[in-house]
Amino acid sequence: MIEIKLCGLKEPSHIEIAFNLGIKYIGFVFFEKSPRFIKKETAKSLISLSPPGIIKVGLVVNPTDDFLNSISGLGLNMLQLHGNESIDRVKEIKSKVDLSLIKAIGIKDKEDLDLVESYSKVADQILIDAKPNPNNRLPGGNGIKFDWQILENKSWDFPWFLAGGLNTKNITKALAMTKAKKVDLSSGVEDSNGRKSMTKIINFVKKIRKYEDNLNVG
């Protein structure tokens, strides 16, 4: 079964629908420039309402040690490093926190896949996203996709997520081309900037399950 991560949640109802749809991961954004940003107190409240079994992920960008300490008691299961953290910094963070780490890697061409391989040795999971424009103030969640052909015929041993502009219109093609077993969605299921749509979330999951059903029939 393809595992789904729904990132940028801000409301209890979205956590409930994620759980009911069998979404495995839910993400909370601690990056202040993001429209999906929530304060630590809000995150703690939402996490306390989250059903057991669903994996709570905190998205951070170039976090300091002080910031990591400040979110240590929120009840997170994983951290998603979405900045330009070096390999040594990822190792350092892993030694400081008792959480699994996802490292986001922005890619634009095949040469960027070398970074994926390198970071896979220090992070528990990799999230492959579109490389943002150098002038963009957000490192992710920009609703842009990359050329999925870059990932064709890739069969890595480490777990990885496909991210970057996924929505109901393109998810079937994305899965067929990349053979991804995990996907991350955020802006593709929003009605307006940072506001999740229940209908779009439901339809996105339906598309994935239909894709899986067709595979099983084939």
Side-chain angles (χ1 to χ4, degrees):
M1 179 179 285
I2 293 168
E3 296 178 356
I4 303 169
K5 176 175 170 287
L6 179 60
C7 196
L9 299 189
K10 301 168 78 171
E11 300 176 32
S13 59
H14 296 155
I15 295 174
E16 182 180 4
I17 193 70
F19 180 77
N20 291 339
L21 290 170
I23 289 173
K24 185 170 182 178
Y25 304 82
I26 52 175
F28 305 97
V29 176
F30 297 110
F31 183 56
E32 290 190 11
K33 293 181 181 178
S34 170
R36 302 162 195 93
F37 167 74
I38 56 174
K39 295 181 178 179
K40 293 187 283 286
E41 296 77 13
T42 305
K44 186 172 185 178
S45 175
L46 290 172
I47 290 168
S48 70
L49 297 172
S50 302
I54 200 163
I55 298 173
K56 282 80 71 179
V57 183
L59 187 154
V60 295
V61 176
N62 303 320
T64 63
D65 288 351
D66 285 344
F67 186 82
L68 292 173
N69 289 334
S70 74
I71 62 172
S72 62
L74 299 184
L76 294 167
N77 306 116
M78 302 186 78
L79 279 185
Q80 179 175 320
L81 305 175
H82 218 104
N84 54 7
E85 301 88 2
S86 67
I87 287 177
D88 285 342
R89 179 56 177 158
V90 174
K91 288 180 182 177
E92 190 175 19
I93 291 172
K94 193 168 178 61
S95 71
K96 292 178 181 293
V97 300
D98 188 24
L99 298 169
S100 296
L101 298 184
I102 301 171
K103 179 66 183 89
I105 307 292
I107 69 171
K108 186 176 182 180
D109 47 46
K110 287 190 175 182
E111 285 70 25
D112 294 322
L113 295 181
D114 291 341
L115 283 176
V116 173
E117 300 275 0
S118 298
Y119 277 95
S120 72
K121 295 175 174 59
V122 295
D124 298 288
Q125 303 196 45
I126 297 294
L127 185 143
I128 300 176
D129 201 352
K131 182 179 286 187
N133 185 297
N135 297 323
N136 203 310
R137 67 192 185 97
L138 300 179
N142 296 300
I144 56 174
K145 69 181 188 71
F146 59 91
D147 181 3
W148 297 317
Q149 285 186 321
I150 295 171
L151 300 183
E152 278 190 309
N153 303 317
K154 281 292 179 184
S155 55
W156 292 305
D157 293 331
F158 54 86
W160 61 278
F161 291 85
L162 178 66
L166 299 175
N167 55 50
T168 54
K169 294 179 180 179
N170 64 27
I171 185 58
T172 301
K173 182 178 180 181
L175 292 172
M177 291 184 70
T178 66
K179 304 297 188 289
K181 303 299 184 199
K182 297 171 180 273
V183 297
D184 175 270
L185 67 150
S186 184
S187 59
V189 289
E190 291 175 353
D191 280 335
S192 58
N193 207 14
R195 171 74 183 181
K196 293 290 185 287
S197 161
M198 294 283 222
T199 302
K200 288 184 178 180
I201 294 170
I202 292 168
N203 289 339
F204 186 93
V205 175
K206 283 182 177 178
K207 281 269 190 174
I208 289 182
R209 300 309 174 217
K210 183 179 180 180
Y211 170 83
E212 291 176 316
D213 290 342
N214 289 339
L215 281 183
N216 293 331
V217 170

